[in-house]
Amino acid sequence: MRADRLVSLVLLLRQRGRLTADVLARELEVSTRTVLRDIEALSSAGVPVYAERGRHGGFALLPGFRTELTGLNHDEALALLTAAGSGQAFGLSAALASATRKVVDALPESHRTTASEAAQRILVDPEADLLSRRLIAKEVPDATMLEVRRAVLAGHRLRIHYAATGREPEWRTVDPIGLVTVRDRGYLLARRNGEDRTYRMSRLLAAEALPEPAERPSEVDLDRIWRERRAQFLAEGHLTVDVRVAPSRREDLLNSAVAVRAEAPDRDGWLRLEVTFQDAWHAEWALWQLGTSAEALAPASVRAALHRRATSMTELYGG
């Protein structure tokens, strides 16, 4: 992305002094023509970069210039500072932390509060790869996501139009705690009427950030909160089913489930998942809808229930 490249270019000049277009192109893995265009863009944006001709010439920043990432808007800065999950996933957490400190140090004062809040309020699980985050972005309308993020980072109350499983959509006012991305699911952690609530982002139909402040702690450990809520959820008597499913029907299965505990490739190109359902009835109903595109492997009670259904249908139509 060009914004990332411009940031890298400025940091290179700040840290290493005068560099030629060829060296910059090699460091940034682009053509010298692209470097020249980027230099021109930085100059137009007010960054004091200048060119020196001659054998030992190149591009440099004016002495004493303190890098401020004024070329980044609010959302671009936020995107850079919430990339920690991908860094952890590829074993780069230490390097990413160092880079993040440098970026925060270079940010304009107006963006630093946002950076601090983003570090506390947005958690990207290392298991959530780039494809997962793209799926989450697609399932939530941009306007809705903007309102949710605004409320989370600003510490304001949030009004959401939410469609819970098996219920008619309704408006609710919540105190947002943070946003969590796990595998290919996004969640809003919040409190409502003083009680902990977790909302799946794909079920948000609309959202509106309210002017009044949210009732929430000023500092949070989002990772700890998520682990505690997940453990509590899994201990509440929900039913976990071991399932084989055709890849083409994976999303249909997950739309009926409340959580995915594990996933791996299986034989014949199918997928093997441990999926948690609200109860036995919901598990039976969801798997019946998939027909021969899914198979319940365990527990035996679910297999028996599906067998009874299939037998009844055969008896009804067999003649």
Side-chain angles (χ1 to χ4, degrees):
M1 293 176 60
R2 194 184 190 200
D4 296 355
R5 194 173 66 244
L6 292 176
V7 171
S8 298
L9 196 157
V10 173
L11 292 178
L12 278 171
L13 293 177
R14 180 184 179 190
Q15 294 166 5
R16 294 168 57 178
R18 185 185 302 108
L19 295 172
T20 67
D22 289 340
V23 171
L24 287 168
R26 192 162 55 249
E27 291 285 343
L28 299 172
E29 298 181 349
V30 296
S31 67
T32 54
R33 181 176 297 180
T34 297
V35 168
L36 294 175
R37 284 200 300 263
D38 288 349
I39 292 289
E40 183 178 353
L42 288 172
S43 181
S44 299
V47 177
V49 57
Y50 66 96
E52 286 190 359
R53 300 183 183 278
R55 183 178 176 184
H56 301 291
F59 296 99
L61 296 169
L62 285 178
F65 172 69
R66 184 183 183 280
T67 312
E68 289 194 350
L69 306 182
T70 52
L72 292 180
N73 62 33
H74 177 278
D75 286 347
E76 287 170 339
L78 181 60
L80 286 174
L81 292 163
T82 56
S86 58
Q88 293 169 358
F90 292 104
L92 299 173
S93 55
L96 186 65
S98 175
T100 299
R101 284 193 294 270
K102 292 177 183 177
V103 172
V104 171
D105 179 65
L107 281 173
E109 191 66 35
S110 60
H111 288 351
R112 291 186 188 176
T113 300
T114 295
S116 176
E117 283 299 310
Q120 280 197 79
R121 304 288 176 178
I122 299 178
L123 173 66
V124 182
D125 192 283
E127 295 178 351
D129 58 17
L130 180 60
L131 175 59
S132 298
R133 291 193 289 275
R134 285 176 177 170
L135 289 172
I136 294 168
K138 287 182 179 179
E139 69 184 5
V140 184
D142 289 344
T144 300
M145 190 70 245
L146 178 62
E147 289 296 304
V148 172
R149 192 173 66 229
R150 180 183 300 166
V152 168
L153 296 180
H156 290 174
R157 282 195 158 172
L158 181 67
R159 189 166 176 258
I160 59 175
H161 196 210
Y162 190 72
T165 304
R167 299 181 185 177
E168 290 294 320
E170 63 178 39
W171 285 95
R172 313 172 186 199
T173 298
V174 302
D175 296 304
I177 301 296
L179 293 168
V180 176
T181 297
V182 180
R183 296 184 187 274
D184 56 358
R185 289 289 181 267
Y187 299 91
L188 167 66
L189 274 55
R191 291 182 64 82
R192 186 183 181 211
N193 298 327
E195 297 184 359
D196 292 341
R197 291 287 185 268
T198 301
Y199 301 99
R200 185 183 289 185
M201 293 297 296
S202 61
R203 294 176 182 160
L204 261 66
L205 305 180
E208 177 189 2
L210 302 176
E212 59 262 32
E215 296 182 5
R216 67 180 192 180
S218 58
E219 296 185 2
V220 296
D221 182 346
L222 203 58
D223 183 54
R224 177 186 59 79
I225 293 173
W226 171 251
R227 282 188 279 107
E228 290 176 352
R229 291 198 184 186
R230 184 175 184 274
Q232 180 182 358
F233 169 79
L234 294 176
E236 286 179 346
H238 295 85
L239 179 67
T240 299
V241 182
D242 191 359
V243 181
R244 292 183 71 242
V245 63
S248 60
R249 302 302 302 275
R250 177 183 179 275
E251 288 305 307
D252 295 327
L253 173 66
L254 298 191
N255 285 337
S256 302
V258 290
V260 179
R261 302 186 67 174
E263 180 175 351
D266 199 39
R267 62 185 186 278
D268 303 327
W270 280 33
L271 301 171
R272 181 83 172 261
L273 292 89
E274 284 186 30
V275 185
T276 301
F277 292 95
Q278 186 172 334
D279 50 37
W281 184 90
H282 282 88
E284 180 185 341
W285 178 86
L287 291 165
W288 182 257
Q289 309 306 308
L290 300 180
T292 58
S293 295
E295 178 188 3
L297 302 176
S301 58
V302 173
R303 289 183 62 89
L306 291 168
H307 182 268
R308 287 193 296 271
R309 279 198 181 217
T311 301
S312 298
M313 293 294 285
T314 300
E315 291 174 352
L316 180 61
Y317 293 104

